[in-house]
Amino acid sequence: MIAFPRYIILWVLACLVLSCESDPCNDATVYELDLPAGFPAMPVPEGNELTQARITLGKQLFYDKRLSRDGQIACASCHLQELAFTDGEAVSIGAQGRTGFRNAPSLANVGYHPYLFREGGGISLETQVLGPLEDSTEMAFNMLEAVNRLKEFPEYQAQAEQAYDQEFSAFVLTRALGAFQRTLISGESAYDQYLYAGAVLDSAAIRGAILFNGDKAQCSSCHSGFNYTDYSFQNIGLYDEYSDLGRARVSLDLADIGKFKVPSLRNVALTAPYMHDGSIQRLEQIIEHYDHGGQGHINQNPAIVPLGLSTDEKADLLAFLESLSDLNFISKPEFGPE
Ligand code: HEC
Ligand code: HEC
């Protein structure tokens, strides 16, 4: 056996430790999400454990317009940080100005969703990428061409090697986007600060929270838990006839017509317009909708009935919904383009 002098061993160790302080080495270590109070552990698929290298690559891809056929549209064109990763449009406008048929949902806490899209047709953040990338009304590209285009850039090659130990590929592209999106965690609203950090909250918002969770309004029967959704599919009687069939598009079951995934209400004051089709502009109008009890669609959930809310109660509910905005989330540089 070759005996190395002790100083050489120490020198090698010191180099390892020091070089790990600059990023290349640390990049491969597992990145621990900093979860807010009340948040459970996030499920992360095997083989795509979070590392800084993967997250950094995913963020670059998220903001890269070269991912669309005409080079005009990035993921971030429809999921803007300052709007809690929505786009402010009723339905999204994609490549060549073509309009889609759905409202872009917020990506806050999207890593917790058991399935994606408003009808639940997306299985994971990794496979979901094919949706917008190949949709003619979104990025109008295809995976093979997108990968061929991006692998020409040496910095993407180098990052792919570093993050996934392989060449830039569809595997790398989809996984890195998934890794970045799992970091989009929002749990520092005024209401969270009140619940978990003893901050003062406006009394109207507190009364609104009690109403939201109580038997009279029953909002929390669907908008439950830390993310204000139970992820079920529900028909809230928006229409008596739905042009978008919702859940029935994938289940092919008539009983699912007009059912959509219950949206999270975090940051809801920042994400107008609302509903699967962006048909409601203001939160006040949503409260009116629930107070009226819906249009009576045959699949309408029985909890949607006239509520008999007073003017004050409506104002309280609104104050509560407004207290769910997380201003830190929409301004954090980690989530922004640079
Ligand atoms: C042209 C606008 C547009 C672009 C570009 C776009 N999206 Fe979206 N995104 C939407 C719309 C609209 C939906 C809702 C679709 C649906 O439910 O059918 C959506 C849904 C999603 C969802 C599901 C969220 C949920 O709550 O279920 C994720 C995740 C997502 N997009 C990520 C991305 C990523 C990653 C990219 C880039 C590869 C991207 N989007 C590009 C408009 C866009
Ligand atoms: C039966 C389940 C259910 C109940 C009860 C319920 N909601 Fe909803 N809520 C939904 C679903 C599903 C949607 C999305 C519908 C769509 O996309 O067409 C929604 C949408 C919303 C939105 C719009 C969110 C967005 O981003 O588009 C708000 C705000 C909202 N609900 C607040 C409330 C309030 C306040 C109450 C109580 C008065 C309530 N909800 C009761 C299921 C429910």
Side-chain angles (χ1 to χ4, degrees), residues 10-325:
L10 282 177
W11 181 79
V12 168
L13 279 177
C15 280
L16 280 175
V17 170
L18 289 178
S19 64
C20 279
E21 273 174 6
S22 60
D23 60 19
C25 195
N26 256 342
D27 270 349
T29 57
V30 172
Y31 177 96
E32 295 291 343
L33 288 169
D34 185 11
L35 297 178
F39 277 49
M42 183 184 289
V44 173
E46 214 172 304
N48 201 19
E49 292 74 18
L50 298 180
T51 66
Q52 191 58 59
R54 292 172 180 180
I55 296 165
T56 305
L57 174 56
K59 177 169 136 173
Q60 254 162 287
L61 291 165
F62 190 84
Y63 283 96
D64 197 335
K65 294 184 172 166
R66 294 174 298 197
L67 227 57
S68 61
R69 178 174 304 281
D70 61 7
Q72 300 294 312
I73 305 223
C75 306
S77 309
C78 299
H79 298 285
L80 286 81
Q81 182 186 16
E82 66 264 32
L83 299 177
F85 294 95
T86 62
D87 63 3
E89 304 285 344
V91 294
S92 293
I93 301 159
Q96 275 126 28
R98 287 191 218 122
T99 47
F101 71 111
R102 290 223 175 121
N103 177 257
S106 169
L107 301 183
N109 305 323
V110 74
Y112 288 100
H113 286 225
Y115 26 70
L116 299 162
F117 301 129
R118 295 181 178 273
E119 81 293 304
I123 303 164
S124 71
L125 285 174
E126 282 73 15
T127 56
Q128 170 277 336
V129 176
L130 269 176
L133 195 71
E134 303 208 343
D135 190 320
S136 65
T137 67
E138 296 193 11
M139 301 167 108
F141 215 14
N142 77 55
M143 187 60 83
L144 215 63
E145 288 176 276
V147 166
N148 283 339
R149 182 189 284 177
L150 294 184
K151 73 200 268 201
E152 297 304 317
F153 297 92
E155 62 279 15
Y156 272 139
Q157 278 301 3
Q159 282 178 288
E161 288 291 348
Q162 197 183 9
Y164 292 98
D165 245 345
Q166 56 174 277
E167 276 190 18
F168 192 86
S169 62
F171 178 97
V172 169
L173 179 124
T174 55
R175 279 168 185 71
L177 277 167
F180 170 62
Q181 292 181 87
R182 287 192 180 90
T183 67
L184 300 177
I185 289 175
S186 172
E188 295 174 54
S189 67
Y191 189 63
D192 293 305
Q193 309 288 344
Y194 161 75
L195 277 187
Y196 299 109
V200 179
L201 186 69
D202 173 48
S203 57
I206 298 175
R207 287 193 303 271
I210 295 169
L211 196 58
F212 184 89
N213 291 304
D215 289 342
K216 183 167 181 182
Q218 292 192 54
C219 311
S220 67
S221 66
C222 296
H223 298 284
S224 60
F226 75 101
N227 207 22
Y228 302 92
T229 167
D230 62 3
Y231 307 103
S232 63
F233 300 98
Q234 303 290 344
N235 178 316
I236 57 167
L238 219 46
Y239 302 110
D240 48 19
E241 227 175 292
Y242 278 80
S243 56
D244 183 339
L245 300 183
R247 181 70 183 153
R249 277 162 53 102
V250 281
S251 70
L252 307 177
D253 182 348
L254 296 182
D256 285 337
I257 290 179
K259 290 189 182 170
F260 293 89
K261 186 169 69 177
V262 176
S264 168
L265 300 183
R266 286 190 171 275
N267 302 300
V268 73
L270 307 168
T271 64
Y274 302 106
M275 305 300 174
H276 65 277
D277 54 359
S279 58
I280 302 191
Q281 300 298 321
R282 295 174 38 238
L283 290 175
E284 288 88 336
Q285 296 167 298
I286 297 185
I287 294 170
E288 289 302 330
H289 162 79
Y290 284 114
D291 191 44
H292 284 123
Q295 305 293 327
H297 189 274
I298 184 171
N299 295 335
Q300 185 174 312
N301 184 291
I304 309 296
V305 289
L307 302 175
L309 299 176
S310 69
T311 310
D312 283 350
E313 285 175 322
K314 290 176 191 171
D316 291 346
L317 265 183
L318 179 64
F320 169 66
L321 293 175
E322 286 173 343
S323 78
L324 299 178
S325 299

